[in-house]
Amino acid sequence: MLTTPAYAYLIYLVSALVMLGAFAIIYSRVTAFDEMALIRAGNGAAALSYCGALVGFSLTLYSSIATHASYGMFLAWAAGAMVTQVVAYSIVARIIRGMNQAIHENNIAMGGLMGGVSLSVGIINAACLT
């Protein structure tokens, strides 16, 4: 039989992984290119950009789980983090003209910049939850 801490651990773990998967799908659909197809083709710029977004989002999941006792608040903050990351991508894609094309063309510097922006947004977002 599951003890209360073990049950809570499993619920948060599974929920966080589901939220990460949902974010990965949503983020992929919002961007102007198919990250997974580019990554499978060896595009390092797409990998840097996509991984930065995933880690940035995960940082907020971490902070929410670690600081909020309520499961409902965890879900609310996770949803807010998804929106924040997508909005950050949308803003950067509009400000930096040609960013999407550069990532599609495997411009590692541009992929690193986008990944760094996503990480920065995730860190700031996570810090706001503490």
Side-chain angles (χ1 to χ4, degrees), residues 8-57:
Y9 166 79
L10 287 174
I11 292 296
Y12 277 96
L13 177 64
V14 170
S15 297
L17 292 174
V18 167
M19 294 294 278
L20 182 60
F23 172 75
I25 292 167
I26 291 166
Y27 190 83
S28 293
R29 300 210 178 171
V30 169
T31 59
F33 43 86
D34 182 353
E35 282 89 350
M36 289 311 297
L38 291 174
I39 292 167
R40 284 186 185 102
N43 186 312
L48 287 171
S49 176
Y50 196 52
C51 288
L54 293 174
V55 173
F57 177 70

Side-chain angles (χ1 to χ4, degrees), residues 106-129:
N106 200 20
N107 180 325
I108 300 297
M110 196 66 81
L113 175 63
M114 190 63 230
V117 167
S118 294
L119 279 170
S120 298
V121 169
I123 290 167
I124 292 167
N125 202 15
C128 290
L129 295 176

Side-chain angles (χ1 to χ4, degrees), residues 1 7 10 15 24 35 45 62 66-68 71-72 75 79-81 105 129:
M1 184 169 154
Y7 180 70
L10 287 174
S15 297
E35 282 89 350
Y62 156 76
T67 60
H68 294 288
Y71 181 71
L75 294 177
E105 294 171 354
L129 295 176

